[in-house]
């Protein structure tokens, strides 16, 4: 709103300047004409116009043209200055992913360490930062992963880092992941820094649903491993509908979870059997994953684009991670906080590999 009012003010100022120039030019011409009449160079009766008057007339036109050109140049400089002020904070905000190969605990192999970086080098804070990780050059979006859904404030001259090493274990065959981020500057404008590093103003864009393409499936065939949390969630929902009391279901349950032996599987199937997971997995802690389920059948095969999309989740699937077993389902229904999960001694401090 502030930017729109500024543009209106600039446009009004330019209009007033142009009108002033035209009025001044008209008065100047009238004055010159009156002087020439008084000196007898111009006779109203015979309309005798001398060469000197013609020269003065063209000089006046040149002066008016010079003033007009100067006005246009000043207007252009004003627009450039306004644009630079509008981009001053946003152009200093960036995001990227770094990868490094580190030796494992016993020194027998390397582990790929993957970090999301979000940096604000400007002199002012930015707000409501959202990051979105992608594979295959933007074809497969994974969401924020270990980063918060929304970083409410990113202070000036501050860099935040989020370790996504464990979430990326389910995508070992992929090339280097990339990350995009959106944020709000101090004037309320929404910006996006895309995976190529380009910056654009997306303040006027609205969130919407689009059809998901075949190459954008939440999990591809080669990713169906215990180390891919989304794959484990899909296997759990599929088994819930087919054979919830079988051995396959017991293999998907986390050993840290309690109370599953008392579950009414028929009731669980009625409540969540028709639900589908959203495309993004949240990792509130390195060894904990949360996947939201939706029951709205019209959303199946669709994905959200843009900021601020509201999703009415029917339930949440909480999963826990161990190096030996990968991901397992801890619970389904309400979201479970990481601090409410008790892991075996040493699990959370054990290094990968």
């Amino acid at each position: 709103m502030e930017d729109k009012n500024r543009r209106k003010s600039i446009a009004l100022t330019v209009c007033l300047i142009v009108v002033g120039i035209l009025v001044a030019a008209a008065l100047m011409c009238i004055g010159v004409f009156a002087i020439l009449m008084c000196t007898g160079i111009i006779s109203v009766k015979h309309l005798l116009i001398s060469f000197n008057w013609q020269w003065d007339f063209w000089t006046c036109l040149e002066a008016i043209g010079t003033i007009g050109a100067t006005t246009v140049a000043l207007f252009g400089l004003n627009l450039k200055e306004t644009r630079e002020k509008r981009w001053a904070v946003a152009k200093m905000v960036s995001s990227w992913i770094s990868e490094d190969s580190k030796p494992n605990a016993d020194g027998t192999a390397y582990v790929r360490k993957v970090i999301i970086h979000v940096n604000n080098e400007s002199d002012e804070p930015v707000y409501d930062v959202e990051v979105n990780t992608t594979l295959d050059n933007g074809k497969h979006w994974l969401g924020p992963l270990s980063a918060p859904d929304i970083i409410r404030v990113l202070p000036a001259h501050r860099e935040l880092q989020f370790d996504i090493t464990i979430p990326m274990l389910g995508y070992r065959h992929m090339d280097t992941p990339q990350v995009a981020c959106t944020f709000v500057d101090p004037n309320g404008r929404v910006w996006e820094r895309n995976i190529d590093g380009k910056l654009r103003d997306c303040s006027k864009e609205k969130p919407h649903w689009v059809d998901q393409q075949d190459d954008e499936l939440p999990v591809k065939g080669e990713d169906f491993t215990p180390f891919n949390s989304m794959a484990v969630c899909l296997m759990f929902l599929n088994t819930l509908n087919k054979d919830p009391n079988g051995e396959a279901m017991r293999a998907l349950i986390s050993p840290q979870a309690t109370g599953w032996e008392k579950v009414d599987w028929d009731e669980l199937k009625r409540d969540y059997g028709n639900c589908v997971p959203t495309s993004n997995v949240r990792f509130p802690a390195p060894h904990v994953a949360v996947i939201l389920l939706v029951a709205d059948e019209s959303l199946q095969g669709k994905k959200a684009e843009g900021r601020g999309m509201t999703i009415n989740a029917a339930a949440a699937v909480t999963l826990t991670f161990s190096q030996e077993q990968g991901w397992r389902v801890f619970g389904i229904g309400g979201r479970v906080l990481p601090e409410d999960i008790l892991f075996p001694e040493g699990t959370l401090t054990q290094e990968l590999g």
Side-chain angles (χ1 to χ4, degrees):
M1 182 61 71
E2 180 182 339
D3 189 47
K4 185 180 295 183
N5 291 334
R6 187 183 293 112
R7 287 198 295 270
K8 289 181 179 178
S9 177
I10 292 172
L12 181 59
T13 302
V14 171
C15 290
L16 291 175
I17 292 173
V18 172
V19 171
I21 292 172
L22 293 176
V23 172
L27 292 175
M28 185 185 300
C29 290
I30 293 172
V32 171
F33 189 76
I35 292 171
L36 294 177
M37 285 181 60
C38 292
T39 56
I41 297 176
I42 295 179
S43 172
V44 177
K45 183 177 180 180
H46 300 290
L47 290 176
L48 298 175
I49 301 176
S50 70
F51 176 78
N52 287 335
W53 179 85
Q54 293 179 5
W55 183 87
D56 290 337
F57 175 76
W58 289 113
T59 301
C60 291
L61 286 182
E62 289 179 4
I64 294 172
T66 301
I67 294 172
T70 303
T71 302
V72 172
L74 290 174
F75 180 62
L77 288 174
N78 201 332
L79 286 179
K80 182 179 179 181
E81 182 181 356
T82 301
R83 184 180 185 277
E84 289 178 351
K85 286 182 178 179
R86 187 171 72 245
W87 288 61
V89 173
K91 69 181 182 181
M92 304 301 290
V93 179
S94 58
S95 60
W96 69 96
I97 287 180
S98 64
E99 290 186 296
D100 193 14
S101 295
K102 300 281 189 180
N104 64 4
D106 57 11
T108 59
Y110 283 106
V111 176
R112 181 178 67 161
K113 190 172 184 65
V114 191
I115 304 291
I116 292 177
H117 303 260
V118 186
N119 188 32
N120 176 17
E121 285 295 329
S122 76
D123 294 329
E124 299 186 60
V126 294
Y127 306 94
D128 294 343
V129 182
E130 298 180 15
V131 299
N132 198 354
T133 311
T134 184
L135 302 170
D136 294 338
N137 199 32
K139 291 182 179 179
H140 190 180
W141 292 93
L142 304 178
L145 298 180
S146 299
D149 287 350
I150 298 180
I151 304 168
R152 292 301 180 186
V153 180
L154 178 58
H157 304 288
R158 179 72 63 85
E159 178 184 326
L160 302 181
Q161 298 183 8
F162 304 99
D163 191 332
I164 58 171
T165 300
I166 292 178
M168 290 306 301
L169 291 177
Y171 305 96
R172 294 188 177 187
H173 69 285
M174 297 289 187
D175 293 332
T176 301
Q178 297 168 289
V179 67
C181 74
T182 59
F183 56 93
V184 180
D185 71 12
N187 292 318
R189 285 182 291 270
V190 181
W191 299 87
E192 179 192 54
R193 179 76 71 178
N194 66 22
I195 59 176
D196 297 321
K198 296 179 180 179
L199 182 67
R200 68 185 187 92
D201 187 343
C202 52
S203 301
K204 296 182 180 180
E205 297 181 7
K206 303 296 183 183
H208 56 282
W209 294 101
V210 297
D211 292 330
Q212 201 167 40
Q213 304 300 317
D214 291 340
D215 58 354
E216 297 177 320
L217 296 176
V219 182
K220 295 184 178 181
E222 56 266 39
D223 297 329
F224 268 93
T225 73
F227 291 90
N228 188 302
S229 54
M230 179 62 77
V232 173
C233 178
L234 291 171
M235 288 187 283
F236 174 83
L237 294 174
N238 182 60
T239 307
L240 178 62
N241 285 308
K242 291 184 176 179
D243 185 20
N245 294 300
E247 186 65 29
M249 177 60 82
R250 285 190 288 273
L252 295 171
I253 301 300
S254 170
Q256 287 81 49
T258 58
W260 282 98
E261 65 278 359
K262 301 177 182 179
V263 167
D264 184 336
W265 290 104
D266 291 332
E267 181 181 355
L268 205 66
K269 181 178 179 179
R270 286 194 302 271
D271 291 342
Y272 307 119
N274 293 324
C275 292
V276 294
T278 55
S279 57
N280 295 340
V281 184
R282 273 72 173 177
F283 296 85
H287 289 71
V288 179
V290 176
I291 301 175
L292 300 181
L293 302 181
V294 292
D296 188 348
E297 295 183 359
S298 66
L299 298 180
Q300 295 188 21
K302 294 185 178 294
K303 64 176 182 178
E305 286 191 354
R307 290 172 54 96
M309 180 67 75
T310 300
I311 299 176
N312 296 318
V317 177
T318 303
L319 303 96
T320 57
F321 176 83
S322 70
Q323 291 197 50
E324 295 76 19
Q325 296 180 325
W327 291 100
R328 292 291 184 269
V329 175
F330 183 87
I332 183 172
R335 185 177 297 190
V336 182
L337 298 176
E339 51 267 34
D340 293 332
I341 301 174
L342 184 63
F343 289 85
E345 184 177 353
T347 299
L348 304 182
T349 56
Q350 183 182 5
E351 295 185 10
L352 289 177

